[in-house]
Amino acid sequence: MFCIAIALVLPLSLSSAYSLAGDWAAAKASLRKPDCCVVSVSGLGDHLSILQAEWSEAPADLDLRARVRVQSALGDDCERIYRSVSMNDVGKENSCTAALEELARGVASLADGPLEGICEDVFLRVVCASDYRAIDPMYHTDKCPLRGYVTLHGLGTEFLTRPSSPMEYATLRALGQGGDSSRNAEELEFIVMKGDYYRANNTPPTWKERIWTRTSACVHRSPPGVGGRRVIVSLDLADSDDDQEWYQANKKREWR
């Protein structure tokens, strides 16, 4: 089941540390439904358009991943990421930094179940590819509670709009055909996909969930394609001790 969280679009000037433009609360409520594996968050158009205008053409090739400390150093961390990608020396009030803050704060607010109130940081990743190539990417699910994702330029990720059964997942992996229940994310559409470790409450997993960890996870893959520019931003909950960060420029990457 694919869900759409709807909200009024607030002007950027109305956003504050306690007011978010996106309807993250509606997204969180939708993700709690067992038959919902992915949700589209509304109200982010202005923020995402700003990032698109900044990064749609440059840098050429880059893969950056960094921790954003949402509660303790949100502005500093987002400013550092913006400067690393754009190579600009600007202050914290820059609109791109504000857009990154919105995404980081919003994704952090989606922590649920055993992570709610505990997991407050996110890992933010920016990937730019000048010559996107993915000949036959494999369908998969993410080994994390959830992942926020937006395509700023180029082809959007291909995902199933409902959870898959073990047999269906095996068929997808073997044949690479999503069928009627798959679609591509649109440019500037911010989606949140459940991963294998998503938990909406503190109750122990059922026997089915122990056997099939992808019970409610979103099956997806990078879109097949050759050539052209692609720019994505993704955010994961920092739910573990993984403090790895990296910055790679002018390096091609494998897409999956």
Side-chain angles (χ1 to χ4, degrees):
M1 177 179 178
F2 176 66
C3 307
I4 300 177
I6 301 175
L8 294 176
V9 180
L10 299 177
L12 294 184
S13 60
L14 296 183
S15 292
S16 68
Y18 307 101
S19 177
L20 295 173
D23 194 350
W24 301 96
K28 188 171 187 175
S30 295
L31 289 169
R32 286 173 172 168
K33 300 174 183 178
D35 60 347
C36 178
C37 65
V38 56
V39 62
S40 179
V41 183
S42 67
L44 299 174
D46 289 344
H47 286 296
L48 298 178
S49 294
I50 288 170
L51 294 176
Q52 182 187 53
E54 180 72 18
W55 293 336
S56 61
E57 296 183 2
D61 291 287
L62 174 140
D63 190 350
L64 178 147
R65 181 178 187 260
R67 178 185 283 266
V68 177
R69 296 162 292 177
V70 175
Q71 294 298 324
S72 61
L74 177 65
D76 290 340
D77 289 346
C78 288
E79 180 186 11
R80 176 169 55 93
I81 292 170
Y82 169 72
R83 289 184 175 184
S84 296
V85 178
S86 298
M87 297 300 180
N88 280 341
D89 188 14
V90 297
K92 294 180 183 178
E93 299 304 318
N94 175 269
S95 57
C96 289
T97 302
L100 295 176
E101 290 179 10
E102 164 78 25
L103 298 183
R105 192 183 288 117
V107 169
S109 73
L110 299 178
D112 216 341
L115 297 179
E116 188 166 18
I118 297 175
C119 181
E120 298 178 335
D121 296 350
V122 299
F123 286 114
L124 191 151
R125 189 175 188 181
V126 181
V127 182
C128 303
S130 60
D131 186 23
Y132 172 76
R133 293 179 180 273
I135 305 301
D136 190 20
M138 190 78 74
Y139 279 103
H140 63 281
T141 57
D142 294 325
K143 302 298 182 183
C144 61
L146 54 82
R147 174 166 294 167
Y149 177 97
V150 63
T151 303
L152 299 180
H153 188 88
L155 299 170
T157 192
E158 184 179 346
F159 63 91
L160 266 65
T161 57
R162 55 171 177 76
S164 68
S165 66
M167 183 62 70
E168 184 179 17
Y169 184 74
T171 302
L172 287 167
R173 299 272 290 183
L175 303 180
Q177 299 293 328
D180 295 337
S181 61
S182 69
R183 75 169 181 87
N184 289 85
E186 300 176 3
E187 274 192 8
L188 302 188
E189 178 187 14
F190 193 92
I191 62 174
V192 179
M193 300 177 287
K194 286 183 183 176
D196 292 359
Y197 306 144
Y198 175 83
R199 301 290 299 166
N201 50 57
N202 292 306
T203 59
T206 65
W207 66 267
K208 180 180 179 181
E209 292 170 336
R210 291 192 182 98
I211 296 173
W212 178 239
T213 59
R214 299 179 175 89
T215 299
S216 64
C218 180
V219 180
H220 61 282
R221 66 174 179 175
S222 295
V226 177
R229 181 166 175 79
R230 188 168 189 239
V231 180
I232 67 166
V233 176
S234 67
L235 300 96
D236 295 350
L237 291 175
D239 63 313
S240 67
D241 295 329
D242 175 15
D243 288 321
Q244 182 183 12
E245 298 187 2
W246 65 77
Y247 177 91
Q248 298 172 338
N250 302 318
K251 182 176 180 180
K252 306 298 183 183
R253 61 155 291 175
E254 296 294 328
W255 296 84
R256 61 187 292 265

